[in-house]
Amino acid sequence: MKALIQRVMNANVTVNSEPISSIGQGLCVLIGICNGDTVKDMEYIVRKILSIKIFDDESNKRWKKNVVEKQFEVLCVSQFTLYNTWKGTKPDFHHAMPGEKSKEFYMKFLEMLRDQYQPEKIKDGEFGAYMQVSIQNDGPVTFTIESPSKEQDKTSKGDEKET
């Protein structure tokens, strides 16, 4: 499982020009779900999203507070393209978990995130829809986190890449 975490001043999602979701200051998190992801991967990513210290404290000291301590919001957007590989110049998504299975997994992920924080502060897009995601990145600050089992898989097996 992979998360691209962006510290934002605000973010919103629209589908067919209709607003679906929006947040004020907090995190916009793009979520990639890989074939073989487990609840353990989900727990790791949820823990990281809620605990990483990427906000300033009250004295403007950097990297001192997490989203929970600041009581900020989180906007999650499912994004299968985070698990692409390249076949020449074309993306290939065979590492991404297939549709219905990933939808169920993603919904459990959102439920776990809401259970461990304040449910009303966790927002999301529309799974499987063609969305427009607008963010005002704060910093800019952007981090990628991947569950450890996937990092170990890459180092032990290698990742086929074509150019």
Side-chain angles (χ1 to χ4, degrees), residues 58-116:
E58 297 72 27
S59 307
N60 291 325
K61 289 191 177 191
R62 294 189 186 269
W63 320 116
K64 296 292 183 185
K65 297 282 184 171
N66 62 43
V67 70
V68 174
E69 293 166 327
K70 296 295 276 187
Q71 297 291 297
F72 289 157
E73 296 174 294
V74 179
L75 174 61
C76 294
V77 178
S78 176
Q79 188 169 358
F80 73 94
T81 60
L82 288 177
Y83 274 108
N84 79 297
T85 58
W86 293 99
K87 292 195 177 201
T89 57
K90 292 180 72 174
D92 178 272
F93 306 107
H94 73 275
H95 289 299
M97 188 180 285
E100 277 307 307
K101 188 176 176 187
S102 66
K103 181 177 183 176
E104 182 181 324
F105 193 90
Y106 179 70
M107 294 307 179
K108 286 180 183 177
F109 161 77
L110 289 173
E111 183 180 323
M112 184 181 288
L113 200 54
R114 288 179 175 123
D115 286 348
Q116 294 185 29

Side-chain angles (χ1 to χ4, degrees), residues 10-134:
N10 59 68
N12 66 70
V13 176
T14 58
V15 175
N16 298 322
S17 301
E18 295 293 321
I20 298 297
S21 198
S22 66
I23 64 166
Q25 194 168 9
L27 301 175
C28 181
V29 184
L30 305 177
I31 298 293
I33 303 169
C34 183
N35 281 319
D37 276 339
T38 66
V39 171
K40 187 176 178 181
D41 297 300
M42 187 186 303
E43 290 168 345
Y44 177 84
I45 295 296
V46 166
R47 185 173 60 253
K48 286 295 192 178
I49 290 168
L50 296 178
S51 67
I52 59 173
K53 298 194 181 281
I54 62 175
F55 295 99
D56 297 352
D57 68 9
E58 297 72 27
S59 307
N60 291 325
K61 289 191 177 191
R62 294 189 186 269
W63 320 116
K64 296 292 183 185
K65 297 282 184 171
N66 62 43
V67 70
V68 174
E69 293 166 327
K70 296 295 276 187
Q71 297 291 297
F72 289 157
E73 296 174 294
V74 179
L75 174 61
C76 294
V77 178
S78 176
Q79 188 169 358
F80 73 94
T81 60
L82 288 177
Y83 274 108
N84 79 297
T85 58
W86 293 99
K87 292 195 177 201
T89 57
K90 292 180 72 174
D92 178 272
F93 306 107
H94 73 275
H95 289 299
M97 188 180 285
E100 277 307 307
K101 188 176 176 187
S102 66
K103 181 177 183 176
E104 182 181 324
F105 193 90
Y106 179 70
M107 294 307 179
K108 286 180 183 177
F109 161 77
L110 289 173
E111 183 180 323
M112 184 181 288
L113 200 54
R114 288 179 175 123
D115 286 348
Q116 294 185 29
Y117 188 36
Q118 298 175 39
E120 68 280 2
K121 292 196 182 275
I122 306 297
K123 310 286 178 65
D124 69 300
E126 183 177 321
F127 187 90
Y130 185 81
M131 297 175 270
Q132 289 71 50
V133 180
S134 298

